[in-house]
Amino acid sequence: MSRPLDSVARKQARLLQFRTAPADLGEVIAYRPAAPAADFAVELSHEYTRNVGSGLDVQPPYRALEAVLRAAAGTWARWQWNDGHLELLCAAPISAEDRLDVFRYWAEAVVPGPVGQRIGEQLAELVARAEPRPAVIPAPPRAGKRSRGWWPGELARWRFAEELAALDWPRNNGAPVRFALCTDGRLAAIGHELPAEPDRKGVVRHLLPRITIGTAASGHSLRHALTVNATTTLLATSWRGVSTVLLANPDQPLVVAAATDGPPWARRLNVPAVAASRRLAALPRLSANVPPFPEHLADDVLADTAPGPVWAVAPASVRTPGLGRGHGMEFFRRVEEAIDTRCEKYSRRSPAFVEVPGVKVPPTESGSRVSGPIAAERIPAALDAAGVDTLLVAVLWSTDEVRARVKAAVSTQWGLGDRWKAAEGVEEPAAGGRIKVVFLHDKAGALSHGPRTSVERQRDLEEMLAPYTGDGVRVAAICETDWDPERWYPTLEARDTAEAEDGKWPSKQALAHLGATSQYIKQAPAPIPTHTREGKPYNEKYRAKKVKSRQSGLDSSTANVLREILSGVGATDHRLGSAFGKLACEPWWHIGIHVRRHAQRRAYGKRHTATPAPITVALTAMRPTGGPDGPWQIWAYSPQAGQWQAHGPATTALHAADLRWDVTGYPTAADESPQASAAAHIVEQALLAARTQLPASAPAVLYVDGDSAEYIWAGLTDEALGQNPPADLPRPASWLPGHSLPRAQRPLATVRVIGDLERIGRPTGAHMRTSDGTWRATDTTNSLFQLAADDGARTYPDLLLVNVPRTWAAGPSGRFGKDETRFDSNSQSKNGYAHTATRFTVIGQSTDADCDLIGAVAAVLTNQGITSDVRQSMPTPLHLARRMDSSHPYYRRTAQSDEESPDSAQAETGADETPGT
């Protein structure tokens, strides 16, 4: 369905996303050395593998070679295998002398000693003698192939970054700021670091503002576009865990971005990119041992002669609080203004997203949005839809404070009144007798910290719950846990021991083995002190405000636990149906598909392991049962259970099992990964079983996370939208979920959900048309927008839900980042909030699909959750499927590790392998 723009374009989104044109790439020169270069590259690879260690599948760090090439040329360069030959691409000519030096220095840094020197000289001579020729720009990838290795896209990002690096960014006061272009394509405000307030030990942390250019998800427009995002990165204060260093070498126009290597506890700075770039700048080699350093490495710390400034970037980790503090709304508005007024090439190239008329997605409670817990009178109908006869809520407590807090919350939410005594071990009916609440003192210590196993805890828990369970009774436990966010351990071993003996995870799995869902409630933190650390009494008004805030936080978290108890068994009320407003609430199954590849520990330097990383797959299906005013049914599937079940039993079955699903037995074809093959097979089996195992037969709409699933289903990629499956596809199930089913049984559509702002672009507000026909800019917006065609004749089923963070919306009028940028502020410890967004690209799989309606439904199911009072980042079916995984007792053991963070050494040095080497 399409609509003329003139009738609906009352509001248009402002977005830091900009279209590109072929002319933007400029001149690209190719240097293709003679054929023996490939033989020398193979020999270098073998020597590097032998030096690193036997049995490790490694390649020389070609990303480091590109960094040094860019430092020498002052612009973009790439070393690649193309059409049976090695070639050097560059956006400007590189002298023969520079090519000779770069390849020789790099090879000697990769393979030290006479062998590396010989290979480097031979390879460098061939590259230096190569004649320049115009590069052949390859066509964009076809359907079924991905664009990760498409170098014109990388060059387009670089050209845009060059434009931004040439700008002076004005400040409210002080000299303008200029961002320096780094060899990794990012921009860094070198020389404009922002000091934060000293911490308790008096250490001053510095923030380095950085800008990242990304490739946008083009969606149905099929037009290549770029995005702009920014953050402030914490600079490290010790060598431990440092993942990236930035070097401003003299006489080099670009800042060299180099990834350190070695284990986190002993990072090595003198990596090939550092060694080669320093030799190119006529600087001496660094010593092998580099001592700890402050915010900036002093010149005399690294070597006897000045090496130039070095910035050490802390890795993205929960162990470095404050990393990635946001800039705030005003900074992104100034970026938008600078591009519109001073970058003529990209001015007014943003795609048009126009407001969707007639669809209300209010972020707060309104006529079409319900907030708060499920009303007591609606709980029976919600439990009926969830297939629960009687819900036993067992409160397993240890301290009187937690017991009293849970009792107060239960009395308020479930209508037991103030006179309820909550006698120990006595069941009390609530919600019309459908819920029974019992308080049980954990005298056996089944939840307490210590080395007890899950099996030992399960025996104690089973004994405690046995008198209250029976046929038709579903158990949900509220468990008290001892958790201190300020806890500190003297050594890493002490921290690891404490985490291993944390009672929460084994007790949660023990309860899952008993078929019980669980929610954990933390103990109250220490009371607000009456005196400061210096012994001075606190101001009474200030202390009263802190006490009130502390109690409000505790009460809110306790109330949320009761909400999660109901959603954990699959109970929800009418709120999802009423959120549709005037939209048709069709009786479809809305199925969320969550796939996650596990992090895998591996030896340093090893790019691949013999055993592929396992995956987790979870699906949830939900549908309305009684129209807009009725509750919804929620079912779920996991390969561990092997069948569709009501949401509660399916969740406990997954939590009681090993979260890792082995993928070694699944066949692969061409360049398909075992994880992609396994996920496609499992999801196809689940969708086939849904026809007979779900309680009703109805059309289905699928929701998948595009950021994590595009490697599984080729039909999700931008290159494949609107295309037919290619002939060389490994199997029909690898095109789209459900594609292998008979045509009449296929889903109506698959909704690709993207939440990564690097693929969306940062929203900056909206343009609104006033009554007199003129347009004015608004600073914020929460609206739903739809992508318009370039000719303005129609809209695509490609929607954008823009969100204002709740913290920003609730803040005072003068909140941080509203009218000033971080460069103008003296409060660097504060976080700056800016717009976020979720993109929905609807891919039709049936001729009966109303793709515009499905896109609007996806936005509604994102705006209205089943428990939260705020917007979610994804539609509820996908949110619930992901939560089945993230709430598993041992999820943290399989999640992304510090070493695999976006700034990690593996991410920055893992360049594409050069074929033939």
Side-chain angles (χ1 to χ4, degrees), residues 264-290:
W265 58 88
R267 289 295 192 192
R268 185 172 71 97
L269 174 64
N270 202 27
V271 293
V274 173
S277 66
R278 284 177 56 80
R279 286 189 66 184
L280 199 64
L283 295 173
R285 285 181 175 271
L286 299 177
S287 59
N289 298 318
V290 183

Side-chain angles (χ1 to χ4, degrees), residues 395-397 440-446 458-468:
V395 183
L396 309 180
W397 62 279
L440 300 173
H441 190 191
D442 182 21
K443 298 178 181 179
Q458 181 179 338
R459 285 196 295 264
D460 291 337
L461 291 167
E462 187 173 15
E463 184 178 346
M464 293 170 62
L465 297 173
Y468 310 98

Side-chain angles (χ1 to χ4, degrees), residues 132-170:
R133 65 174 71 184
V136 177
I137 299 179
R142 60 183 176 84
K145 300 295 181 181
R146 296 169 179 83
S147 59
R148 180 173 299 176
W150 191 53
W151 64 259
E154 181 185 31
L155 179 55
R157 295 194 299 271
W158 185 275
R159 292 299 195 191
F160 194 13
E162 285 181 328
E163 294 277 341
L164 299 184
L167 300 180
D168 288 324
W169 302 82

Side-chain angles (χ1 to χ4, degrees), residues 325-372:
R325 293 193 180 104
H327 279 279
M329 298 277 192
E330 178 63 18
F331 179 80
F332 292 103
R333 287 194 287 267
R334 294 192 186 184
V335 171
E336 178 188 44
E337 180 185 8
I339 295 173
D340 282 346
T341 58
R342 291 184 284 160
C343 291
E344 182 178 354
K345 184 184 296 185
Y346 299 95
S347 177
R348 312 197 187 285
R349 278 197 187 176
S350 295
F353 280 88
V354 298
E355 186 181 34
V356 179
V359 180
K360 294 184 177 180
V361 282
T364 56
E365 186 168 5
S366 66
S368 60
R369 193 181 197 283
V370 178
S371 298

Side-chain angles (χ1 to χ4, degrees), residues 728-750:
D728 58 351
L729 197 69
R731 63 188 63 84
S734 298
W735 180 246
L736 285 171
H739 187 73
S740 68
L741 301 180
R743 187 174 297 275
Q745 298 179 14
R746 290 178 186 173
L748 291 174
T750 294

Side-chain angles (χ1 to χ4, degrees), residues 447 461 477-481 503-509 511 518-522 557 561:
L447 307 178
L461 291 167
I478 298 177
C479 308
E480 178 178 343
T481 181
K504 178 177 180 179
W505 315 116
S507 61
K508 187 178 183 68
Q509 190 164 61
L511 286 165
S518 56
Q519 290 293 324
Y520 284 72
I521 184 169
K522 65 181 180 180
S557 65
V561 164

